[in-house]
Amino acid sequence: MGSVGAKDVPVLMTEDGRRIDGRRADELRPLRIQAGALRQADGSAFVEWGANKVMAAVYGPREVHPRHLQENNKAIVQCKYNMAAFSVDERKRPGLDRRSQEISKVIAEAFESVIFVEEYPRTSIDIYIEVLQANAGTRCAGVVAASVALADAGIPMVDLLPAVAVGKVAGHVVLDLKKEEDNFGEADLPMALVPQSGRLVLLQMEGHMTRTELSKALDLGVGGCRKIYEEMKRALRERYAPTGTASAMEVAA
Ligand code: CDP
């Protein structure tokens, strides 16, 4: 196999502004959310977003393990993000690596800032995110799934937490990067938004953007999060107040 050269980089943006999968810069991949997908967990959700498939399960508030992590004045939020060995093209080595530790940490911190943790001292709220199929944006899909799972578990929160990655691809600021765009693009910027207040509780960036591009990317991401928010609410309504309408809706810009 030869080395990857410029000729191997796919066309990420056509002259008439279409992306590798035909989307416009401000379009989301199709998103389907099922609230309450698992029987055992206190709350759960399954998210299919483009080619991503992500399951989230939530337990708690429950006894803290290990005990020494217990806090007397609030609940702790623990998150375990895991990518299945079969979730990517090249088999991923199973188990904890630095990437999953980092993602677990930023997701736990994001949720700690929206859950009313003071109401449940000396307990733990445990979030498990299992990526079954990955195609970029899995941490955002994980946040969306976990957020619906937390609501399904009845855990009081300021708001649901929609999340999406924006980025720069072939010189264009675009919403919701897929794998090729993430691999060959210039920047990737995942974010999670508290819709009511407009507060960002997760914001990371890999790559480079100008200040103007960053500002445009944030606006695009906030708009994307607001659409995702509607689908999250729909999934919860579907579970708790079914109307007999279609079980899932495809969200597109
Ligand atoms: O998934 P997310 O975009 O949140 O995180 P990332 O670290 O930017 O990874 C981007 C994508 O690279 C993942 O969604 C997977 O499709 C792929 N990936 C992979 O193929 N093997 C890994 N060990 C890690 C990521």
Side-chain angles (χ1 to χ4, degrees), residues 31 33-36 43-45 47 56 58 107 110-116 140-164 191-202 222 224-240:
L31 171 65
I33 306 172
Q34 184 196 351
S44 62
V47 166
V58 163
I107 292 179
F111 281 113
E112 202 179 329
S113 71
V114 290
I115 296 172
F116 289 112
C140 297
V143 168
V144 169
S147 182
V148 173
L150 283 160
D152 183 42
I155 293 176
M157 293 177 284
V158 172
D159 205 346
L160 291 168
L161 208 51
V164 73
M191 62 164 84
L193 174 82
V194 183
Q196 305 286 349
S197 62
R199 187 162 57 103
L200 292 174
V201 291
L202 185 155
V222 167
C225 282
R226 295 202 184 279
K227 288 187 185 118
I228 294 158
Y229 185 46
E230 293 307 314
E231 172 61 4
M232 294 165 82
K233 288 190 288 186
R234 191 212 56 76
L236 287 161
R237 271 198 305 272
E238 177 88 0
R239 172 148 164 81
Y240 290 101

Side-chain angles (χ1 to χ4, degrees), residues 73-92:
N73 55 354
K74 61 175 183 139
I76 59 165
V77 178
Q78 304 192 88
C79 175
K80 187 160 179 270
Y81 163 103
N82 181 55
M83 240 178 169
F86 52 80
S87 66
V88 290
D89 294 342
E90 282 171 43
R91 179 180 177 277
K92 183 199 161 282

Side-chain angles (χ1 to χ4, degrees), residues 2 52 59 75 86 88 101-102 133 139 142 172 178 187 193 207 216 250:
N52 289 319
Y59 291 84
F86 52 80
V88 290
Q101 276 177 312
E102 172 219 309
Q133 192 169 285
R139 76 195 65 200
H172 298 259
K178 78 189 295 281
L193 174 82
K216 194 173 167 190
E250 289 202 338

Side-chain angles (χ1 to χ4, degrees), residues 52 81 83 87-93 97 99 102-103 131 133-141 165 177 179 182-183 188 190 204 206:
N52 289 319
Y81 163 103
M83 240 178 169
S87 66
V88 290
D89 294 342
E90 282 171 43
R91 179 180 177 277
K92 183 199 161 282
R93 187 196 290 251
D97 52 22
R99 177 178 170 277
E102 172 219 309
I103 295 177
V131 178
Q133 192 169 285
N135 192 281
T138 61
R139 76 195 65 200
C140 297
L177 275 62
K179 181 94 189 316
D182 182 296
N183 283 6
D188 173 27
Q204 300 182 280
E206 205 182 310

Side-chain angles (χ1 to χ4, degrees), residues 167-168 185-188 205-210 213-214:
K168 186 176 166 187
E186 293 97 270
D188 173 27
M205 180 159 142
E206 205 182 310
H208 299 277
M209 274 188 193
T210 64
E213 286 165 348
L214 178 62

